Amino acid sequence: MDTLLQDIRFALRSYLRSPAFPLAAIATLALGIGATTAIFSTLNAVLLKPLPYPQPEDLYNIRTTLTDGRVTTGMLSNGEISRLSGTTTIVRAAGVQEIDLTLLHQDGTPQHVKVYGVTEGFFELFGLPMTLGGFTHQHFARPAPPPPPAPGAQAPQGPPPAPPVVVISHRVWQELYQSDPAIVGKPIRFAEIQTTIAGVAPRGFDTPHQGDFWFSQQLDPDDINHFFDGFMRLKPGTRLEQANAEMLPIMKGLERDFPQADLNRAYVTKSLVASVVGDLGPILIIVMSATGLLLLLGCVNVANLLLARGAARAREMAVRVAIGAPRSRIVRQLLTESVLLSTIGAALGLLLAFAGVRALLALGASKLPRLDAVAFDGRVLLFSLAALLVSGLLVGFAPALRLAATDVRSLMNESTRSATGGRGTARWLSAMTVVEVALAIVLVAGAGWLVRGFASLRSTDLGFTADQRLIFDVAFLGPKYPNQAAVDTAGRTLREKLAALPGVSGVGSTSNFPMKNTIEGSLIAQFHGEPLDPAHPIGTRQRIVSPGYFQATGTRLLQGRDFGPDDRQGTQPVAIVNRAFVKRYLNGRNPIGLQFSAGYPQPNPRNEVTVVGVIEDVRQKAVKDEAEPAFYQSLAQIPLRRQTMVVATAADVAAIQSAIRGEMRQFDPQIAVDFQLVRELVDGTISRQQLGMTLMLIFGGSAILLAAVGIYGVVAYAVAQRQGEMATRLALGATPGSVFLLVMRQGAMLAAAGTAIGLLVAYLSGRIVASQIYAIRASDPLMLGGAIVLVAGITALATMIPAWRASRLAPSGVLHTD
């Protein structure tokens, strides 16, 4: 211990004598350790921190897919859920369905809220105790069917189903009900239904994310309608492969019993945390790898500084060896110095990491799943400690190995100015510089890939215009809207009133606005006069829109006509199909005038429509997802109580919002109005990619800066070691230009070697990245070429300064000093 303290005191004294070196080294390490710790803390919050449920590793999300290429929502039916519970591998399965309702506060103020209809056992599946009350079996039980009628008697009417009850979140219980301990059984009012509160959810319960209201669903156990997101808990110690194997015959049984709904359908399972995080996880892993490379580059840079400093201390080391100091003692001293640098760098890095995380959250990362709070917990502190030790060893390894493997005579020569002096150190410095260039190439290429992927997303043709559009939901409920005719009249009247507002250029409404993640119908279609092929059914989406919707959203009409005033209830049902529908199913036939029926689980001939137009494909789910075959029907022919209004404007959006609010208060004060800009909606779907791109640009820029500093230091050291040689060349007639090119050639050779290695590593790592990131290729010549040009330019600039100084040496002054 005394020896260690002595080494630390000696290192501190040496650093205080020449503070420029430790300050540069500490700043470099603080940058690397701080960036790595900041990204690890977000990765820890997103992927490593367990979900707030008992045994979260046993919780899984369930979806479904169709293996025959038909379109599907990916949701589950109650029948597909109910048959999973109680198997040998699955403890329980449950489903949740999202519904939009309007909460009415005590003063009558409406508030648009999302509620979630759940199946029996939903809260029990997650394993947290309820704060108060909760659902019981009776809340999910369907009324018993009436007994069969006596011969000749009228069939008796069964009892009506009881209204569903609601569980509220712990947050709502506190904020709206002031933590009322007697809340269970009290009424709660929605515009659509008045019911009672059955319980308060556990504190911290967050499934679905930010959910506040859960309704009990009363469904037939064999209901085949697909509108549930599924969850299951496996028995402790069960592997997912075992559960998947057991789920396969269950789906086969469903396919046998309900071939129209479950033919060629399969369960799709993934861990609950992976389901919650989505594609944010892979992006953070890629960025985390980049920060690891940045830390490695910083370590190489500091190692270079230590190597150059070690050459200046060669005589000191030689004297210590000559008087009997063991080499292990010198190695320990050097490692102590490097670990001391890393310790100070790590302390500053933690402060940088904390500030960096706060900046990330302020820039919008807090809206991403599991990033609303990023804690510096024990796992993060252990990681920073590990980064400290690893960086300390990496930084001190090369200088210690260099000095430990050299004899006394060579060490003495290290301090001379002869051409042969310092060759060993120069070789080490050159090797480390090659590594720096290679790492810079990889990081710059990685940043370029994410920029390219994000740019591809931003430039993707969405099929609609996002700018200068806003949306809001409306619900025509209550006694003012007793039937479909009243709903149709209300919707048409409201659109006319909004269209008359100053600055409004278009108004429309729809059942499923793009990227709102509203569940949309997946139907089976059958062309008029053609047989239904069960092996290759025509799967299509159904969307309901108002006349003028396509003009309001900027969706291009490619053929035929738009919906018009003559398309109303009681007239021939018409439809407009998208380009994907025409391309997949019509094989070059003219779609105009084509008739088809659609329905689920089989086409309904009573719902036959005539195609009157073709529109451009719309990216409905997300920017990166291709459009699926879809047909649109007119709201005037199928009035819906719930609609999303879209307003196009060239005026100030804030002023338009104020005008719309005023109009809505006059039209129906019980309709809650929550605006959303369409551009913000679209940008929200690519916010994860934007976060990854921003971080990689920062790391790529830092890599270039570190590489430039490292290359400059190595070339400057080499020039200093060869000053005598350069002066001799100049004295014997060499031109300054030839000396300049000599030094530039040395930097070019290092850059070429590093570039070759970096390109190979970048290509191999890019193949992994390409499988996770939208629209990039590992062999993208533009990105790889751009990385080469950028790093080569920085290398040339870093080499040019010492080369210019070498070419301006005064031979007499240098040779006289030697």
Side-chain angles (χ1 to χ4, degrees):
M1 179 62 71
D2 291 339
T3 306
L4 178 61
L5 292 175
Q6 181 182 355
D7 288 344
I8 294 175
R9 285 194 295 270
F10 180 82
L12 288 173
R13 284 196 300 270
S14 65
Y15 291 158
L16 291 174
R17 283 195 300 269
S18 53
F21 160 72
L23 288 177
I26 289 169
T28 301
L29 290 172
L31 173 64
I33 295 175
T36 310
T37 303
I39 299 305
F40 178 81
S41 66
T42 59
L43 189 69
N44 172 56
V46 170
L47 292 179
L48 302 182
K49 185 179 179 181
L51 294 167
Y53 308 119
Q55 292 80 48
E57 68 278 1
D58 294 330
L59 293 172
Y60 291 86
N61 176 248
I62 322 170
R63 307 279 287 185
T64 63
T65 187
L66 291 172
T67 58
D68 56 13
R70 283 182 291 155
V71 296
T72 177
T73 60
M75 311 302 278
L76 283 79
S77 68
N78 193 46
E80 292 160 358
I81 294 171
S82 62
R83 296 197 184 189
L84 291 177
S85 294
T87 64
T88 59
T89 58
I90 301 172
V91 176
R92 190 186 300 272
V96 59
Q97 173 194 9
E98 181 181 304
I99 307 167
D100 291 326
L101 294 183
T102 304
L103 176 67
L104 298 177
H105 292 267
Q106 291 184 349
D107 61 357
T109 302
Q111 178 186 353
H112 177 77
V113 295
K114 290 189 180 298
V115 301
Y116 299 92
V118 301
T119 63
E120 187 171 4
F122 175 76
F123 286 103
E124 290 82 354
L125 183 148
F126 292 94
L128 290 176
M130 301 293 290
T131 300
L132 290 173
F135 293 131
T136 66
H137 173 71
Q138 284 70 30
H139 293 141
F140 299 94
R142 292 170 60 85
Q154 185 177 0
Q157 296 294 321
V165 293
V166 63
V167 167
I168 61 175
S169 69
H170 196 279
R171 182 186 66 81
V172 166
W173 179 55
Q174 288 183 317
E175 295 180 3
L176 296 187
Y177 297 97
Q178 291 74 49
S179 303
D180 181 3
I183 193 66
V184 175
K186 290 188 176 181
I188 181 170
R189 290 179 60 211
F190 296 90
E192 300 80 0
I193 187 173
Q194 183 168 347
T195 184
T196 57
I197 296 173
V200 178
R203 181 192 294 270
F205 187 86
D206 194 35
T207 302
H209 183 52
Q210 295 183 338
D212 283 323
F213 303 93
W214 297 266
F215 275 92
S216 56
Q217 294 272 63
Q218 299 172 356
L219 295 173
D220 188 320
D222 285 331
D223 186 275
I224 60 173
N225 292 292
H226 291 80
F227 42 67
F228 282 113
D229 197 10
F231 302 90
M232 68 179 180
R233 177 180 286 277
L234 299 186
K235 293 182 178 179
T238 301
R239 291 182 296 109
L240 181 59
E241 292 77 11
Q242 295 174 269
N244 285 337
E246 190 173 20
M247 295 166 73
L248 186 61
I250 292 175
M251 183 58 78
K252 289 297 181 184
L254 287 160
E255 181 178 323
R256 203 167 41 248
D257 296 341
F258 310 105
Q260 294 293 341
D262 288 317
L263 179 67
N264 298 321
R265 191 177 292 273
Y267 288 112
V268 178
T269 56
K270 65 169 64 174
S271 69
L272 181 57
V273 67
S275 172
V276 170
V277 170
D279 58 0
L280 178 59
I283 290 174
L284 283 179
I285 291 174
I286 292 168
V287 173
M288 183 68 199
S289 302
T291 59
L293 293 179
L294 182 66
L295 177 58
L296 179 59
L297 199 156
C299 291
V300 170
N301 231 359
V302 177
N304 275 348
L305 292 173
L306 283 170
L307 279 167
R309 187 169 181 267
R313 297 173 63 190
R315 185 178 296 277
E316 169 201 335
M317 300 299 175
V319 170
R320 295 178 67 176
V321 171
I323 62 177
R327 293 183 185 276
S328 60
R329 180 71 180 80
I330 294 181
V331 170
R332 190 176 69 189
Q333 172 66 43
L334 294 174
L335 289 177
T336 299
E337 293 178 9
S338 64
V339 171
L340 180 61
L341 289 174
S342 298
T343 301
I344 302 173
L348 293 176
L350 276 175
L351 296 177
L352 286 176
F354 184 81
V357 168
R358 300 280 80 75
L360 283 178
L361 297 179
L363 290 172
S366 59
K367 298 178 182 179
L368 299 176
R370 308 200 75 200
L371 278 181
D372 47 351
V374 179
F376 276 70
D377 56 16
R379 188 183 284 112
V380 175
L381 294 178
L382 283 175
F383 175 85
S384 63
L385 178 61
L388 182 160
L389 295 175
V390 170
S391 59
L393 293 175
L394 287 176
V395 164
F397 176 75
L401 184 63
R402 164 79 188 108
L403 293 174
T406 310
D407 57 29
V408 175
R409 182 177 178 181
S410 298
L411 285 172
M412 294 295 292
N413 286 336
E414 287 285 321
S415 61
T416 69
R417 290 184 179 269
S418 66
T420 60
R423 283 180 179 172
T425 298
R427 284 193 296 269
W428 274 93
L429 287 170
S430 297
M432 302 291 268
T433 303
V434 169
V435 173
E436 281 193 293
V437 174
L439 291 174
I441 288 284
V442 174
L443 283 170
V444 172
W449 284 325
L450 291 189
V451 170
R452 183 67 172 268
F454 184 75
S456 297
L457 285 172
R458 287 301 300 264
S459 62
T460 298
D461 183 5
L462 303 174
F464 63 94
T465 303
D467 294 322
Q468 297 299 108
R469 265 83 176 167
L470 59 84
I471 58 175
F472 62 96
D473 294 333
V474 297
F476 300 116
L477 303 165
K480 289 182 63 175
Y481 317 104
N483 50 45
Q484 283 195 328
V487 170
D488 177 43
T489 300
R492 186 173 61 255
T493 302
L494 178 58
R495 289 191 295 272
E496 291 172 354
K497 288 179 175 294
L498 295 179
L501 292 175
V504 173
S505 58
V507 177
S509 53
T510 179
S511 60
N512 303 89
F513 194 82
M515 303 185 192
K516 278 199 69 179
N517 293 323
T518 308
I519 297 177
E520 52 182 358
S522 296
L523 307 183
I524 304 298
Q526 181 180 9
F527 295 127
H528 182 79
E530 297 183 13
L532 181 66
D533 183 0
H536 302 90
I538 299 173
T540 179
R541 300 291 192 189
Q542 180 193 34
R543 297 161 191 160
I544 316 298
V545 302
S546 70
Y549 170 80
F550 297 126
Q551 185 269 333
T553 58
T555 303
R556 296 185 297 277
L557 184 68
L558 304 179
Q559 190 177 351
R561 67 171 178 85
D562 197 351
F563 297 124
D566 293 332
D567 301 318
R568 59 186 184 276
Q569 285 184 288
T571 64
Q572 170 63 38
V574 294
I576 295 175
V577 297
N578 65 355
R579 185 200 294 267
F581 187 100
V582 174
K583 183 178 180 181
R584 183 177 297 189
Y585 299 131
L586 298 189
N587 298 318
R589 286 189 289 173
N590 181 13
I592 305 302
L594 183 73
Q595 293 182 314
F596 67 89
S597 58
Y600 184 83
Q602 59 186 2
N604 186 350
R606 292 179 298 177
N607 294 337
E608 190 169 74
V609 298
T610 301
V611 177
V612 297
V614 180
I615 62 159
E616 184 60 270
D617 288 338
V618 170
R619 302 259 171 158
Q620 188 76 14
K621 291 182 179 179
V623 176
K624 66 179 181 180
D625 292 336
E626 296 284 347
E628 297 173 314
F631 73 98
Y632 296 77
Q633 289 187 264
S634 174
L635 263 171
Q637 295 186 323
I638 310 177
L640 298 177
R641 293 187 178 274
R642 297 187 174 280
Q643 305 173 19
T644 297
M645 306 292 297
V646 54
V647 178
T649 174
D652 178 62
V653 176
I656 291 294
Q657 290 182 15
S658 178
I660 292 174
R661 284 191 189 278
E663 193 66 52
M664 292 301 299
R665 278 194 297 269
Q666 295 183 16
F667 182 82
D668 189 341
Q670 284 201 336
I671 295 179
V673 179
D674 297 315
F675 293 109
Q676 187 172 16
L677 297 178
V678 175
R679 169 52 62 191
E680 291 181 356
L681 176 68
V682 173
D683 289 346
T685 67
I686 57 177
S687 58
R688 305 172 184 195
Q689 291 83 357
Q690 184 174 20
L691 175 65
M693 178 200 70
T694 303
L695 292 173
M696 285 297 292
L697 282 175
I698 295 172
F699 300 150
S702 301
I704 292 174
L705 178 62
L706 290 177
V709 171
I711 293 166
Y712 169 80
V714 168
V715 176
Y717 172 80
V719 168
Q721 291 294 309
R722 299 173 63 186
Q723 274 190 347
E725 174 195 342
M726 303 293 182
T728 302
R729 288 174 180 268
L730 291 168
L732 294 177
T735 63
S738 64
V739 173
F740 178 85
L741 291 177
L742 178 67
V743 179
M744 290 295 294
R745 191 178 302 119
Q746 179 186 9
M749 291 176 62
L750 297 177
T755 298
I757 297 172
L759 280 177
L760 177 61
V761 176
Y763 173 76
L764 295 176
S765 59
R767 297 188 64 178
I768 300 173
V769 174
S771 65
Q772 304 289 340
I773 304 299
Y774 175 79
I776 72 167
R777 291 184 295 118
S779 57
D780 188 336
L782 182 61
M783 291 300 100
L784 295 178
I788 293 173
V789 170
L790 189 56
V791 175
I794 294 297
T795 301
L797 184 63
T799 308
M800 198 175 295
I801 298 173
W804 181 82
R805 289 177 178 172
S807 67
R808 293 297 184 271
L809 285 174
S812 59
V814 174
L815 295 176
H816 176 75
T817 303
D818 283 346

